[in-house]
Amino acid sequence: MELLIQSIVNGFIQSGFYALAAVGLVLIFGVMGVVNFAHGELVMVGAYTVWLLHAQYGVPFLPTILIAILLVTAIGALMEQFLFRPMRGDPLGGLICSIGVLFILQVVATVVGGDGPSKQVPPPYEGTLVLWDFLRVPYQRLFAIGVAIAALGLLWYFLTRTRLGWALRAVSQDREAASLQGINSNRISMIAICVGAAMAGLAGALMAPLTNINPHMGHNVIITAFIVTIVGGVGSLSGAVIASVLYALFHTFVTTYFNGTVATISGLLIMVLVLIIRPTGIMGHRVSE
Amino acid sequence: MNRSALTHFAGIVIVLVILAVLPHFLRYHHQDFLIFLVINILVVSSYRLVTLTGEWSLIHAVMMGVGAYGSAILSKQFNVSFWLSMPLAGVVAGSVAALLCYPLFRMTQFYFLIGSFAAGEAIRLSWIHFIKPFGGTSGVSGIPSPELGNIDFLEPIPYFYLVLIIVTLCLFLLYRVEKSRVGLTLHAVHWKAPLAESVGVNTWNYRSLAFITGSVFVGIAGALKVHYIGTVTPKQFDIGFMVFILIWVIVGGYRTFYGAIIGAIVLSILDEAFREFDELRPAIYGAILVFAILFLPAGLESLPQRLREKFGRSGAKEAG
């Protein structure tokens, strides 16, 4: 019972990270029609920034989070400007470009951090919250989930309560119709990728003290983000968030009771199953041609 | 035989002759390189067959692994001779592909891409998870090399000839398939799916057929590879290798049969040339990929024609 509650809490905290990584992928795919394979690497760059500035040079944790977000956003903006925009209307081309970026970012990380073992960042917030004698939640994790929820809340507010957010959703629903309404779809694409990249950077920065940092950490991130995106319904942000929570709980449970590989295999199988039975995911709706 | 077919045939013969004598002028390590290059040519050509219907799968590298594991386990644990286990590797890969057809081809485009990636990852992680019979992360080692009379297939040159013969045969078959009625229908399924359906082509069947056939050939390529190295691990067939296949095909050009082969050759040689920049190599690859897709979207195969157009035009200007 105690293990059960602990697993639920751990899974819930993990879900914040999954959701942050996945919403960016969903946003970029929704608005631009591009599968950003380098999304996991954007998260990795966020984590590396914290490792380099905070753990190596002693810059305080909070400013490094901001710097990580800005840096990753800038990378996202460059990708849109020089790669995705010329490739507009060619989803395969956009995908290939993002794979190229993936390689480049991995090598940059290797050069900056050196090869060798994974890096660790000592948690800036020490101590553990103990509830009812058995439930232990490190403050670092509480901080991470708090910030993640706040960021997702802000994103929700932006998308549903501001004119820019409406425009963004309009473009993701129908690019042509949005253009006819006078919405500059290139500008909206730029905003979408900046927001998506910022979320990825934030995810990486928040998780840096809680995970092993290496140039290839993006691989697991992108697998998770794919699973969450598909299960939630491609193009549905709320679906992605709900799927993040469900998948994180599932993954944590299977990891606790079996092991991590089994958890990922069954996650992938669930995703294939969803693709077969209900390709629109739990929150998606059928898009007419 | 008309003239273009004749030059065609002559070209192939010349390439084969060059390839046949080449290893004798190379050092050991370059002979290895040549063996892997020829195997990779089979990998990209079989991938091309899968992509003919317009579906870019991300499971091809794993299908190669299915063949490799199949042949490795057959020959090591069941003492099956290489000459039987190698074609069986194709059968194993083809069968697994056939099983995957039902779920995978319910999807198209983006969903197919992600679905094939997921299915491949699930298979690859199973190799890691099920220590028996797949050997976990360290895989299966001590895979026997082929036996035939007193030829020593542990040496690179005999093995190279073996690979060259099998790959040439497979390429010939792949080429015949592409140019056959079936191959032409595959093109139709890609470019005019609704029209093809309206004249009675079952697109689902043709997509599956291309996928299964491509997997059979890449399974054979996998067997060829691991019987030379002697070891098969899950790492050899990860998404990184899949991306290399994609890059070779795209940089080479996916519109003709030769494009993918040219891509594999040129990029492998470049890769070999950059060997000393070890850790930078992926970035160089990444940059080449991005530049190729931005500036040479039809691939290297289109380069001669583009150059001709460019110089032809400037020549005309001078004359005018």
Side-chain angles (χ1 to χ4, degrees):
Chain A
M1 185 63 195
E2 292 171 3
L3 187 62
L4 185 77
I5 294 176
Q6 181 77 54
S7 303
I8 292 177
V9 171
N10 289 350
F12 182 65
I13 290 171
Q14 191 68 26
S15 68
F17 173 61
Y18 290 174
L20 281 182
V23 288
L25 196 72
V26 173
L27 214 54
I28 294 170
F29 181 73
V31 173
M32 304 159 62
V34 170
V35 186
N36 181 18
F37 242 85
H39 209 69
E41 274 57 39
L42 294 180
V43 173
M44 183 268 294
V45 170
Y48 258 80
T49 313
V50 170
W51 169 77
L52 187 70
L53 293 180
H54 179 67
Q56 300 301 110
Y57 292 105
V59 180
F61 186 53
L62 290 178
T64 56
I65 295 184
L66 271 182
I67 296 171
I69 293 175
L70 289 177
L71 178 67
V72 177
T73 308
I75 295 174
L78 288 175
M79 282 167 73
E80 158 64 10
Q81 182 71 40
F82 295 107
L83 303 178
F84 294 153
R85 188 164 300 172
M87 285 284 121
R88 193 84 77 221
D90 177 5
L92 186 68
L95 173 85
I96 303 295
C97 279
S98 72
I99 292 177
V101 173
L102 176 157
F103 277 118
I104 295 171
L105 290 179
Q106 279 184 357
V107 168
V108 170
T110 314
V111 170
V112 169
D115 238 345
S118 293
K119 320 234 170 329
Q120 311 271 351
V121 174
Y125 304 107
E126 284 171 18
T128 301
L129 179 71
V130 181
L131 285 176
W132 309 297
D133 296 338
F134 64 84
L135 184 62
R136 313 177 67 82
V137 188
Y139 285 122
Q140 187 64 46
R141 287 186 181 271
L142 275 182
F143 173 77
I145 185 69
V147 175
I149 290 174
L152 291 169
L154 266 178
L155 178 67
W156 175 81
Y157 182 83
F158 166 69
L159 288 175
T160 56
R161 296 285 184 274
T162 64
R163 287 187 70 87
L164 211 53
W166 295 343
L168 202 149
R169 278 165 47 214
V171 173
S172 80
Q173 278 162 12
D174 190 331
R175 197 176 188 90
E176 216 167 312
S179 296
L180 288 174
Q181 296 294 319
I183 296 171
N184 180 345
S185 64
N186 274 346
R187 183 161 151 258
I188 296 298
S189 297
M190 183 56 96
I191 291 169
I193 196 165
C194 283
V195 172
M199 292 282 165
L202 176 65
L206 285 178
M207 284 311 279
L210 303 168
T211 187
N212 293 322
I213 301 169
N214 63 61
H216 303 287
M217 64 187 282
H219 184 64
N220 282 331
V221 176
I222 195 78
I223 291 184
T224 308
F226 277 157
I227 294 176
V228 167
T229 308
I230 297 282
V231 173
V234 180
S236 163
L237 284 171
S238 51
V241 173
I242 294 170
S244 294
V245 176
L246 294 178
Y247 181 65
L249 287 174
F250 171 80
H251 198 276
T252 312
F253 270 97
V254 181
T255 308
T256 312
Y257 292 102
F258 298 93
N259 69 47
T261 315
V262 178
T264 308
I265 295 178
S266 25
L268 288 164
L269 291 179
I270 289 176
M271 167 172 148
V272 173
L273 220 61
V274 169
L275 281 171
I276 296 167
I277 297 167
R278 194 176 154 76
T280 49
I282 47 180
M283 294 294 282
H285 46 84
R286 208 162 275 282
V287 183
S288 54
E289 290 275 318
Chain B
M1 203 185 268
N2 60 31
R3 222 188 116 190
S4 86
L6 204 66
T7 46
H8 213 84
F9 184 71
I12 292 171
V13 170
I14 292 170
V15 170
L16 280 178
V17 169
I18 292 174
L19 274 173
V21 293
L22 195 57
H24 295 282
F25 299 97
L26 294 175
R27 274 174 295 156
Y28 197 80
H29 145 94
H30 285 135
Q31 290 170 343
D32 271 3
F33 167 75
L34 203 58
I35 291 176
F36 295 133
L37 177 58
V38 174
I39 294 174
N40 287 339
I41 286 174
L42 179 54
V43 173
V44 289
S45 302
S46 56
Y47 187 57
R48 175 178 160 70
L49 186 67
V50 178
T51 61
L52 273 188
T53 57
E55 302 293 358
W56 291 77
S57 97
L58 290 181
I59 200 176
H60 207 61
V62 171
M63 296 318 292
M64 182 180 182
V66 170
Y69 269 97
S71 186
I73 291 170
L74 278 174
S75 60
K76 204 178 162 215
Q77 286 170 8
F78 299 97
N79 287 323
V80 178
S81 138
F82 167 84
W83 306 107
L84 188 60
S85 76
M86 188 255 305
L88 278 179
V91 175
V92 171
S95 317
V96 172
L99 287 177
L100 287 172
C101 277
Y102 175 71
L104 286 185
F105 286 105
R106 287 183 53 110
M107 317 165 211
T108 55
Q109 293 167 7
F110 166 75
Y111 298 93
F112 179 78
L113 193 89
I114 303 302
S116 63
F117 172 69
E121 249 336 87
I123 293 177
R124 210 177 65 82
L125 288 172
S126 305
W127 294 333
I128 295 176
H129 180 68
F130 297 105
I131 310 280
K132 197 177 156 70
F134 301 118
T137 346
S138 50
V140 180
S141 54
I143 304 165
S145 65
E147 281 169 12
L148 184 71
N150 49 10
I151 305 173
D152 183 7
F153 281 111
L154 284 171
E155 283 295 313
I157 289 182
Y159 202 86
F160 172 76
Y161 286 126
L162 171 71
V163 167
L164 189 63
I165 292 167
I166 295 172
V167 169
T168 308
L169 202 68
C170 290
L171 288 186
F172 175 72
L173 290 174
L174 281 167
Y175 187 80
R176 294 301 306 177
V177 170
E178 189 180 328
K179 296 294 165 195
S180 70
R181 208 183 159 77
V182 174
L184 294 177
T185 314
L186 294 178
H187 279 287
V189 168
H190 179 185
W191 300 108
K192 292 271 185 283
L195 184 65
E197 274 178 352
S198 75
V199 295
V201 173
N202 185 335
T203 54
W204 195 92
N205 279 353
Y206 278 91
R207 286 196 172 109
S208 306
L209 185 69
F211 181 59
I212 295 170
T213 316
S215 301
V216 168
F217 284 104
V218 84
I220 292 173
L224 286 176
K225 185 169 185 176
V226 296
H227 279 276
Y228 183 64
I229 307 176
T231 313
V232 54
T233 65
K235 185 101 186 62
Q236 290 166 342
F237 310 105
D238 64 359
I239 188 72
F241 182 62
M242 184 62 234
V243 168
F244 280 130
I245 301 175
L246 262 182
I247 297 176
W248 289 330
V249 174
I250 286 179
V251 173
Y254 54 84
R255 285 173 182 81
T256 67
F257 189 80
Y258 297 105
I261 298 176
I262 294 170
I265 295 174
V266 171
L267 287 182
S268 299
I269 293 173
L270 269 182
D271 190 49
E272 189 61 22
F274 289 124
R275 185 167 280 276
E276 48 190 302
F277 303 105
D278 194 30
E279 61 179 23
L280 290 180
R281 277 199 294 173
I284 296 170
Y285 248 102
I288 290 174
L289 182 61
V290 170
F291 277 101
I293 197 95
L294 284 178
F295 301 113
L296 204 60
L300 285 173
E301 64 176 17
S302 70
L303 202 56
Q305 194 181 344
R306 284 186 64 161
L307 288 176
R308 214 178 299 142
E309 273 171 18
K310 197 164 178 201
F311 288 105
R313 208 181 299 140
S314 63
K317 219 176 272 171
E318 278 161 29

